[in-house]
Amino acid sequence: MVLSLRRYTLLLLPFYTLAQTNPDIANTAQSDTVREEAHTNNRGGQAVIFAPPTRRRSVEAVEVGTRLRIDGRLDEAEWQRARPIRRFVQVDPQQGRAATFDTEVRVLFNRQYLYIAAVNRDTAGRRSLRTPNFQRDFQSRAHDFFGITFDGFNDRRNAMALMTNAYGTQRDLLSFDDILYDTDWDGLWKVRTTRTDSGWVAELQIPWQTLRYPQSTDSTQTWGINFFRNRRATNELSAWSAFPRAFPSGLRMEYAGQVTGLKPPPPRPNVRVQPYVLLSDDAYNGSETSNNRTTRLKLGGDIKWAINTSTVLDLTFNTDFAQADVDRQVNNLTRFSVLFPERRAFFLENASLFGAGLSAVNGLGEGGSMGIQPFFSRRIGLATLPDGTSAPVPIDAGARLVYRSLERNYGGMLIRQRGITGSPATDFLVGRYVENVGKQNRIGVLVTGKNAHATDTTDSRQDGTVAIDGFFRLGQSLNYSAMLIGTQSSESSPAKGGGAGMAGYSQFFYRSNQIVGWLTQTVVTRNFNPAMGFVSRSDVISNSFGGFLVNRASWLPKWVRNFEPGAFAELYHKASTGYLQEAQWNLNPIWFTFQNAGNFGLFVNPTFQRLDDGDFRPLGLAIASGKYRYVRYSVLFGSDPSRRVSYNLTAETGRYYDGRLSYGRASLILAPVPHAAFTLSSELNEFRNVGGYTGTIALYSIQNRLAVNPRLQLISFFQRNTFTDRNVWNVRLAWEFQPLSFLYLVYNRGVYAGSVASADGLIARQQERHLIGKISYLKQF
């Protein structure tokens, strides 16, 4: 089940689909060269990885003396002064061919802003537009969108991406070598859109302070830039400067064009201050939570100081994360620790610099299921409860300094966590240094330190981690990465996570238009304990290898885009004994990706498990120690995610240790209009004599999103877990009354069973309820 479910998640890759084109008077000769290079790299419809263009496409930015009104209408005379660029080229499905519909882009600027306008023509007009919801950082696989990537330093490595859908919902991120991403970075910029019977228009206003560019003695600058569009009705991705479809993000900046004639103001220190005021009402009711109610007022905030174009200092005081999404409950049936995603804004920014390591969520089984990260920010400010959910621990203050340049990147973070009952006051320190080597190689080191202060009942404790890592791009399609990590603790007892430990990994990863393959090897010793990090499992030596084809043969039906058969395997030996503990072979003879981005796949998963005394037991089931061999079968089906009604289905069955397990998961997404979206999900695990248990464990959830526009939304979430007998509610009203300034009204409620039975044998229900009002205001100086 692990590999098949992971295989499904990669289909959520960002960016996918688009558009058509007319002659570009300004760039005809140049674009013809690009087209010719793209066409010569197509072989029988199976496009190859072509080299970056020897001659970059160019667009000239035009200076204006007025401030434009941003309304998505382009009725100011200034827009007519900018010469439009057109002639977009398909990335997918017909790499190198002209886009199906014309996209027209203009670039203006004044002393305060860079302006970009895109006219996305479509003969089907409003009827063809797909916008399932107004979620910021939307899943672009399901939306029409227009996007821009900037390379202000013109180093062809780093990118800032800004995207908008047809209703002005924003998506933005930072990318480094198209390998590391800050997907939750939120830039300060503004966009408005209009929709007509001939397509849709996007008008963007970007403050120079949001963009990153060097100090220059020249009066004008030239940056790397690219534009791309997703026409979702036909699932077509196109770009102004073409890139191979194996890199669908559009963030390989060596394939980008350039924008000339820019006259940005000299970079100068700028400060962004974002204070907040919070009022909360907290109530607890139960024999174990006690019965009390408190009201509190909380003040705090963040300061961001861009010291120069390369260095940014972030400060946070009395940090609050009331607006963050609640964690989703998970019933873990694998031998891997669950990696809950970071959802808190302060830790999400610049996560790509500090988040070194092997990701445990590569999706689609790509790279394997092991994850090793020497630093994982969720270790700060959150305590894990016995049922797997998390509870916040107050953060008094924190600071983060980050420096990025063409030659090197480095940064440090210092956090002070307040002491509360059951959790001592703790200091967290992390430092990171990365040296860029050659065009796209890196060597780095990461150091962490954790100091837990002494309390009346516990001694102080210090934990440290040192990691050395490297990333090497051996070609356009082949990457190699490796890391070696050591941990040390002042605690002498290995049973309490003390002593010294070691871990490491090595990974080759290959991706072309036709083949995806990997070889990943990891080792984790028994005493390895990254107190500020994450590891999927300890005391293990793992080998993961496999791959799949991406086939577009002429025999495929027109409604099928890719046929992707594959096979992969994962082998896990216990490091301390050398015994084989787990082996999974996954045969995937059928995987179809449809033209509408739906999918269908079949999997056969022969498995070997060896359970020793003290090993993990899924959901605490009393499975006897011994060796188990079984085969599981699964089928996955997903419909077009851009439709008003879409769904995902997963079914799996077969032997499971000493019994049988049937697993099913279904999600139904209803999006009748972009202003309203509803998701209903259920997950069922039916056990038959597994560890002597026969029964069904279920997870149910409902999520709603009601939006007046992308800036005013009501989001609600409910989840019930029958295994923990826990119900969770989260309701959040969010109003962005000006860019990155918010008003939040939040309601959280949890109901769960206690752990101690009363005299009559009944277990009392424990309840907690939180009402929160929070307002934050961003001011940029």
Side-chain angles (χ1 to χ4, degrees):
M1 181 163 61
V2 176
L3 291 180
S4 61
L5 291 179
R6 289 176 183 276
R7 170 131 188 133
Y8 179 65
T9 59
L10 186 68
L11 296 169
L12 301 180
L13 272 173
F15 320 115
Y16 219 89
T17 22
L18 171 84
Q20 134 88 352
T21 320
N22 287 331
D24 181 346
I25 299 173
N27 293 298
T28 301
Q30 193 168 22
S31 56
D32 285 345
T33 302
V34 173
R35 294 275 179 80
E36 184 176 341
E37 290 179 355
H39 279 304
T40 57
N41 287 286
N42 281 286
R43 297 176 182 172
Q46 295 287 340
V48 299
I49 304 295
F50 57 88
T54 55
R55 185 180 179 185
R56 303 175 77 181
R57 298 193 72 178
S58 182
V59 56
E60 182 182 1
V62 175
E63 184 174 9
V64 296
T66 58
R67 180 170 176 174
L68 304 183
R69 176 182 176 86
I70 304 303
D71 54 12
R73 300 189 184 280
L74 309 187
D75 48 9
E76 294 94 342
E78 285 80 358
W79 283 116
Q80 303 309 312
R81 294 177 53 192
R83 179 174 291 177
I85 57 170
R86 304 183 179 93
R87 299 187 65 116
F88 276 44
V89 179
Q90 285 190 47
V91 176
D92 206 17
Q94 300 291 337
Q95 178 178 297
R97 294 191 179 181
T100 309
F101 293 94
D102 184 38
T103 304
E104 181 181 291
V105 180
R106 289 176 165 87
V107 182
L108 300 175
F109 68 91
N110 59 20
R111 294 176 61 87
Q112 292 80 34
Y113 301 103
L114 177 65
Y115 298 98
I116 295 177
V119 179
N120 304 284
R121 303 191 189 282
D122 194 324
T123 55
R126 295 182 179 90
R127 294 179 293 107
S128 74
L129 296 181
R130 306 287 177 86
T131 305
N133 56 59
F134 288 163
Q135 178 182 357
R136 175 145 189 166
D137 294 331
F138 52 87
Q139 287 288 350
S140 52
R141 176 173 169 260
H143 291 249
D144 280 87
F145 71 82
F146 169 78
I148 312 159
T149 50
F150 295 99
D151 176 12
F153 287 90
N154 219 9
D155 59 19
R156 306 195 184 194
R157 299 187 67 161
N158 299 319
M160 174 186 293
L162 308 179
M163 286 157 279
T164 179
N165 67 15
Y167 283 81
T169 309
Q170 293 172 293
R171 176 180 171 87
D172 41 22
L173 62 100
L174 303 176
S175 167
F176 307 93
D177 291 333
D178 198 18
I179 290 291
L180 302 174
Y181 309 97
D182 285 335
T183 57
D184 290 282
W185 170 78
D186 288 334
L188 184 63
W189 55 289
K190 183 178 181 179
V191 61
R192 293 295 184 267
T193 60
T194 55
R195 297 155 299 282
T196 70
D197 291 335
S198 59
W200 61 284
V201 177
E203 187 177 20
L204 291 80
Q205 174 185 276
I206 310 160
W208 290 112
Q209 290 170 300
T210 298
L211 300 164
R212 301 180 180 183
Y213 52 91
Q215 181 81 42
S216 175
T217 58
D218 296 332
S219 59
T220 62
Q221 291 190 17
T222 296
W223 296 357
I225 199 168
N226 207 354
F227 308 99
F228 46 96
R229 175 186 167 189
N230 177 23
R231 185 181 186 267
R232 188 55 190 78
T234 49
N235 199 20
E236 179 180 301
L237 176 67
S238 65
W240 172 60
S241 185
F243 51 86
R245 62 178 170 84
F247 315 137
S249 68
L251 296 169
R252 290 280 184 100
M253 296 309 291
E254 65 264 45
Y255 289 94
Q258 60 184 9
V259 55
T260 63
L262 293 172
K263 298 179 183 178
R268 58 181 175 83
N270 64 83
V271 178
R272 205 164 88 178
V273 179
Q274 192 167 23
Y276 77 83
V277 178
L278 179 146
L279 180 66
S280 68
D281 182 74
D282 307 306
Y284 301 87
N285 184 14
S287 56
E288 297 174 35
T289 62
S290 73
N291 297 294
N292 64 78
R293 180 175 177 179
T294 59
T295 300
R296 61 192 173 99
L297 179 68
K298 185 177 180 181
L299 304 175
D302 301 326
I303 299 174
K304 180 183 292 292
W305 177 21
I307 301 172
N308 53 48
T309 58
S310 300
T311 310
V312 177
L313 174 66
D314 290 280
L315 302 174
T316 181
F317 305 95
N318 207 15
T319 316
D320 177 78
F321 307 110
Q323 72 277 12
D325 285 344
V326 297
D327 284 331
R328 278 35 173 171
Q329 300 176 79
V330 176
N331 291 328
N332 186 14
L333 299 180
T334 77
R335 301 174 75 161
F336 300 89
S337 299
V338 176
L339 181 69
F340 287 98
E342 178 62 86
R343 301 179 184 274
R344 300 168 297 170
F346 178 80
F347 294 111
L348 287 169
E349 187 161 345
N350 283 298
S352 64
L353 176 62
F354 297 100
L358 186 66
S359 173
V361 287
N362 287 338
L364 273 186
E366 291 192 6
S369 301
M370 276 295 293
I372 306 175
Q373 295 176 277
F375 172 70
F376 181 46
S377 59
R378 279 185 61 100
R379 299 295 188 194
I380 304 172
L382 286 174
T384 302
L385 302 178
D387 64 359
T389 60
S390 57
V393 180
I395 293 176
D396 289 326
R400 177 179 58 227
L401 180 72
V402 171
Y403 171 90
R404 294 187 184 273
S405 72
L406 179 60
E407 294 80 19
R408 62 192 57 87
N409 304 318
Y410 58 80
M413 192 184 311
L414 178 63
I415 303 291
R416 171 70 178 210
Q417 180 177 289
R418 189 180 309 167
I420 61 173
T421 302
S423 177
T426 307
D427 304 314
F428 298 89
L429 172 68
V430 58
R432 174 70 163 152
Y433 181 90
V434 179
E435 184 75 16
N436 296 327
V437 180
K439 290 186 176 180
Q440 292 191 12
N441 307 313
R442 300 187 305 273
I443 297 176
V445 61
L446 186 144
V447 178
T448 73
K450 178 181 177 182
N451 175 43
H453 293 247
T455 67
D456 294 339
T457 58
T458 62
D459 295 329
S460 65
R461 171 170 173 164
Q462 293 77 42
D463 296 273
T465 301
V466 177
I468 300 173
D469 67 302
F471 170 81
F472 306 93
R473 181 157 279 156
L474 306 179
Q476 290 294 340
S477 298
L478 180 62
N479 303 328
Y480 175 72
S481 58
M483 175 175 279
L484 182 65
I485 316 168
T487 61
Q488 180 69 52
S489 175
S490 63
E491 170 62 54
S492 59
S493 171
K496 297 181 180 180
M502 185 272 291
Y505 71 84
S506 170
Q507 182 182 79
F508 287 93
F509 198 95
Y510 181 86
R511 181 188 296 278
S512 72
N513 285 1
Q514 291 79 36
I515 300 175
V516 176
W518 61 90
L519 170 62
T520 306
Q521 298 173 298
T522 66
V523 58
V524 181
T525 64
R526 181 166 49 187
N527 294 337
F528 180 72
N529 179 30
M532 291 175 60
F534 172 85
V535 60
S536 292
R537 56 196 291 178
S538 297
D539 194 14
V540 68
I541 299 173
S542 75
N543 292 274
S544 174
F545 50 91
F548 57 90
L549 303 178
V550 182
N551 188 276
R552 297 191 174 183
S554 58
W555 57 266
L556 291 172
K558 290 184 178 181
W559 43 272
V560 174
R561 176 164 294 185
N562 293 338
F563 172 50
E564 303 176 25
F568 32 103
E570 296 191 10
L571 307 176
Y572 298 91
H573 293 77
K574 183 172 284 190
S576 57
T577 65
Y579 291 142
L580 179 65
Q581 295 297 113
E582 180 178 8
Q584 292 196 44
W585 293 266
N586 203 310
L587 306 177
N588 179 203
I590 295 177
W591 184 272
F592 292 116
T593 299
F594 305 135
Q595 294 289 0
N596 64 9
N599 51 77
F600 175 78
L602 296 176
F603 299 83
V604 180
N605 185 202
T607 301
F608 167 81
Q609 299 280 3
R610 174 191 173 118
L611 289 182
D612 296 330
D613 293 340
D615 279 350
F616 168 81
R617 295 300 192 272
L619 301 185
L621 297 173
I623 303 173
S625 298
K627 299 178 181 179
Y628 299 91
R629 293 178 174 84
Y630 51 86
V631 180
R632 296 187 58 75
Y633 307 89
S634 58
V635 57
L636 286 78
F637 180 72
S639 69
D640 181 349
S642 70
R643 289 286 187 178
R644 294 178 179 178
V645 178
S646 62
Y647 50 87
N648 294 303
L649 304 173
T650 302
E652 189 174 327
T653 190
R655 298 286 303 174
Y656 184 72
Y657 293 98
D658 57 350
R660 294 188 65 85
L661 169 65
S662 295
Y663 168 86
R665 189 180 192 282
S667 294
L668 176 66
I669 301 98
L670 306 175
V673 293
H675 302 273
F678 309 90
T679 302
L680 295 84
S681 299
S682 64
E683 180 180 299
L684 301 176
N685 288 286
E686 184 182 85
F687 295 91
R688 295 183 186 177
N689 198 30
V690 178
Y693 172 74
T694 297
T696 300
I697 292 175
L699 265 174
Y700 305 102
S701 66
I702 301 173
Q703 181 170 317
N704 304 323
R705 181 181 297 271
L706 304 175
V708 176
N709 55 48
R711 295 162 295 282
L712 178 58
Q713 305 189 42
L714 177 67
I715 305 146
S716 62
F717 174 77
F718 168 78
Q719 189 176 39
R720 167 152 180 79
N721 189 342
T722 64
F723 175 65
T724 58
D725 193 17
R726 184 181 183 94
N727 301 331
V728 174
W729 290 263
N730 173 250
V731 182
R732 183 177 67 232
L733 176 68
W735 176 30
E736 187 178 9
F737 55 89
Q738 72 175 38
L740 298 185
S741 295
F742 295 90
L743 171 66
Y744 294 103
L745 299 177
V746 182
Y747 171 80
N748 290 324
R749 184 166 182 247
V751 179
Y752 55 97
S755 59
V756 180
S758 60
D760 57 8
L762 299 178
I763 297 178
R765 301 293 285 171
Q766 312 297 305
Q767 301 184 47
E768 60 178 276
R769 187 267 300 154
H770 308 275
L771 291 174
I772 302 167
K774 178 180 178 181
I775 186 169
S776 66
Y777 178 77
L778 185 143
K779 177 64 176 177
Q780 185 160 320
F781 299 95

